[in-house]
């Protein structure tokens, strides 16, 4: 499969990697400092970071885990396990399954909250259509 925006052989600058990954250069540096990156990011002779495809793929995983509420500490543990290589797959699986259960619980809570919002929307629509929206409950104003 031909990639639309191939990564050059020398890798991407931090600015280009930030643009492609959708996170800031500051976030990329933070991920590296926090131990969330599974490989050593390449550097030029002058010490500037150069990101490869694997780096960008891993950053995408980190951002998705973070966006679903996984704590940095847990992402770091997952990164440590991945970087350690073979032999710890059951621990990785357990970590991901626990996170999945947390995400499902949050989704269920959000669904319940959404039901309440939908009920309130229905009440407002009904009252507005009936012309008596001014009868909706409102806190008493101090006199």
């Amino acid at each position: 499969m031909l990639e639309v925006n191939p990564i050059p052989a020398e890798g991407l600058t931090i600015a280009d990697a930030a643009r492609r990954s959708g996170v800031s250069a500051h976030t990329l540096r933070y991920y590296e400092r926090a131990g969330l990156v599974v490989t050593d990011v390449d550097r030029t002779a002058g010490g500037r970071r150069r990101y490869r495809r694997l780096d960008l793929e891993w950053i995408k995983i980190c951002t998705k885990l973070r966006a679903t509420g996984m704590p940095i500490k847990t992402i770091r543990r997952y990164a440590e396990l991945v970087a350690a290589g073979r032999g710890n797959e059951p621990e990785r699986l357990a970590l991901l399954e626990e996170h999945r259960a947390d995400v499902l619980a949050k989704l269920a809570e959000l669904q319940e909250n959404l039901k309440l919002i939908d009920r309130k929307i229905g009440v407002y629509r009904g009252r507005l259509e009936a012309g008596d929206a001014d009868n909706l409950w409102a806190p008493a104003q101090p006199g």
Side-chain angles (χ1 to χ4, degrees):
M1 180 162 130
L2 183 63
E3 186 176 349
V4 176
N5 293 316
I7 295 175
E10 68 274 10
L12 296 171
T13 65
I14 194 166
D16 289 336
R19 200 170 14 265
R20 287 211 194 181
S21 65
V23 300
S24 69
H26 173 77
T27 299
L28 291 174
R29 288 186 200 96
Y30 171 75
Y31 279 7
E32 195 174 344
R33 273 192 327 273
L36 307 184
V37 182
V38 296
T39 61
D40 291 330
V41 175
D42 287 342
R43 302 269 181 160
T44 65
R48 296 189 181 271
R49 290 169 175 86
R50 300 302 287 192
Y51 291 85
R52 310 282 181 202
R53 176 183 317 286
L54 180 63
D55 301 320
L56 295 183
E57 289 172 1
W58 183 257
I59 289 162
K60 181 179 180 179
I61 291 168
C62 288
T63 58
K64 297 295 183 186
L65 293 174
R66 191 71 192 113
T68 56
M70 184 180 277
I72 293 292
K73 179 180 176 182
T74 308
I75 297 172
R76 183 180 304 114
R77 178 66 186 142
Y78 182 58
E80 289 168 353
L81 291 168
V82 170
R86 295 184 176 133
N88 60 30
E89 293 83 0
E91 191 174 349
R92 291 187 224 173
L93 176 61
L95 186 147
L96 291 172
E97 286 177 335
E98 183 178 332
H99 182 62
R100 183 179 190 279
D102 291 345
V103 170
L104 286 172
K106 288 175 189 169
L107 283 171
E109 182 179 353
L110 283 172
Q111 287 291 342
E112 283 302 309
N113 294 342
L114 185 58
K115 286 179 188 176
L116 176 119
I117 293 167
D118 287 342
R119 282 195 302 273
K120 294 303 286 179
I121 288 170
V123 168
Y124 276 86
R125 281 188 178 145
R127 292 294 180 95
L128 285 168
E129 288 172 8
D132 63 352
D134 58 336
N135 289 329
L136 289 170
W137 176 85
Q141 299 297 319

